[in-house]
């Protein structure tokens, strides 16, 4: 079930990835992610056998619009169906942990949207539960599946830019610019105690750590808000952040900074990561994902995804001829395809798993602690084998 490379429009494999042996999915949540996950399951040769939403009416509407066999009023009933192999959790954040746990307890594989949980302790017990159940348990840090993000990672690993010393960038959106704009993410009971960082800053940190193979070891963060209330008629008070800025140091000696915002006018979904080493720089922009900027003192240029020297890991994610842009949905298709490969016993490169969701939760708590207490905070390491942040909760003065 690996993603097939397509080299020309006439290539017979242009119809997409090979069919999996069995990938019968339940999708819970009928919004943006419910749609994207459903398409991805089908594009990878799987089947969505049932959907559940916040009400029977929503589930039925989604079922009819997306040609799914059955709609369920009760997500637990759907999870326990014997013909479900994988549960895709695409609900608001506070439901991720209970639904994922229910799925693991029922012996199902899980693809749970980020954040895996709204606190690190719960993310840790979920990671442990997935390990003990011996199920494939994935968190869609999906930008990893852009071929040029893989290329950046491969080049850093190969030493093409020398010893990495600096990384910077940000993740900017504007969809929550105005005080009238509201969403379940704003409510900490539903979205969790961090909004901008938990929602999109987590993606940026995952990309940084994925591309460099390094780990953030300490952070100094500040949070801020444009709007202290949100919604119609004066709205409700807001406690979560509209934006975060932070600087960091890594285990490997890299320093850097990032700006995370959901209120930057004109910025829609701009995740930019620039990494500089002693020999060169690489810059990835997820709104221009077909290319990678490669900077150097002697030569600076653009690498495109038909570059003959592209790494094998980038090449395997190329599924359309260059000039026919690949994008966000293709990343999800590849993520589901690799989830299927993992279920079949393969070890696909770079599949983001629950331990990565736990890592994001630990980083989020470190960022919030730093901002609240106005100091550098050491970020506990996460034991990749399953589960425990190594050095206890964030708290020691660092850097
Ligand atoms: N990985 C990514 O790139 C990415 C992108 C966007 C969102 N997300 C994550 O996906 C999740 C969903 O976000 P979204 O943008 O699709 O939100 P959304 O608001 O568009 O959709 C959420 C859906 O959940 C449904 N829902 C609410 N309560 C429910 C319940 N009790 N049972 C079943 N369904 C219920 C709602 O009816 C709605 O259809 C969030 O956790 C978000 O962080 C991830």
């Amino acid at each position: 079930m690996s993603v097939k490379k397509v080299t020309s429009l006439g290539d017979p494999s242009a119809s997409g990835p090979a069919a999996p042996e069995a990938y019968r999915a339940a999708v819970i949540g009928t919004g943006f992610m419910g749609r994207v996950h459903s398409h991805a399951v089908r594009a990878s040769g799987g089947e969505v056998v049932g959907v559940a939403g916040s009400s029977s009416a929503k589930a039925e509407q989604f079922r009819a619009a997306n040609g799914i066999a059955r709609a369920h009023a009760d997500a637990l009933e759907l999870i326990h169906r014997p013909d479900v192999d994988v549960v895709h959790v695409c609900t608001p954040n506070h439901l991720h942990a209970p639904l994922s746990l229910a799925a693991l307890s029922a012996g199902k594989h899980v693809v749970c949207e980020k954040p895996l949980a709204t606190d690190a302790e719960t993310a840790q017990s979920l990671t442990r539960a997935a390990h003990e159940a011996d199920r494939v348990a994935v968190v869609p840090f999906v930008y990893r599946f852009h071929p040029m993000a893989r290329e950046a990672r491969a080049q850093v690993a190969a030493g093409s830019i020398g010893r990495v010393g600096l990384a910077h960038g940000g993740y900017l959106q504007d969809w929550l610019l105005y005080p009238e704009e509201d969403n379940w993410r704003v409510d900490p009971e539903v979205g969790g105690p961090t909004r901008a960082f938990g929602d999109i800053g987590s993606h940026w940190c995952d990309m940084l750590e994925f591309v460099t193979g390094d780990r953030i070891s300490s952070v100094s963060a500040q949070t801020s808000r444009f709007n202290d209330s949100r919604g119609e008629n004066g709205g409700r008070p807001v406690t979560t952040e509209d934006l975060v800025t932070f600087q960091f140091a890594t285990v490997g000696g890299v320093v850097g900074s990032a700006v995370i915002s959901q209120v930057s006018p004109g910025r829609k979904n701009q995740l930019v990561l620039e990494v500089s080493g002693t020999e060169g720089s690489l810059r990835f922009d997820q709104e221009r994902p077909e290319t990678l900027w490669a900077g150097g003192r002697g030569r600076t240029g653009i690498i495109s995804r038909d570059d003959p020297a592209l790494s094998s890991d980038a090449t395997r994610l190329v599924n359309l001829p260059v000039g026919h842009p690949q994008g966000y949905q293709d990343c999800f298709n590849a993520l589901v395809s690799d989830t299927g490969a993992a279920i079949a016993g393969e070890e696909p490169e770079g599949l983001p798993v629950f331990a990565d969701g736990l890592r994001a939760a630990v980083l989020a708590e470190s960022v919030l602690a730093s901002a609240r207490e106005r100091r550098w905070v050491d970020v506990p390491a996460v034991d990749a084998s399953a589960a425990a942040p190594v050095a206890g909760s964030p708290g020691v003065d660092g850097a």
Side-chain angles (χ1 to χ4, degrees), residues 28-34 52-54 58 75 89-96 99 113-115 140-143 183-185 199 203 328 332:
I28 309 176
T30 54
F32 173 32
M33 279 303 106
S54 55
K58 277 196 170 178
V89 180
C90 304
T91 62
N93 303 346
H94 67 310
L95 298 171
H96 292 181
L99 290 171
E113 265 305 343
K114 37 62 50 178
F141 287 115
V142 74
Y143 300 123
N183 185 266
W184 57 258
R185 288 167 173 84
D199 206 30
H203 274 297
Y328 187 72
F332 266 94

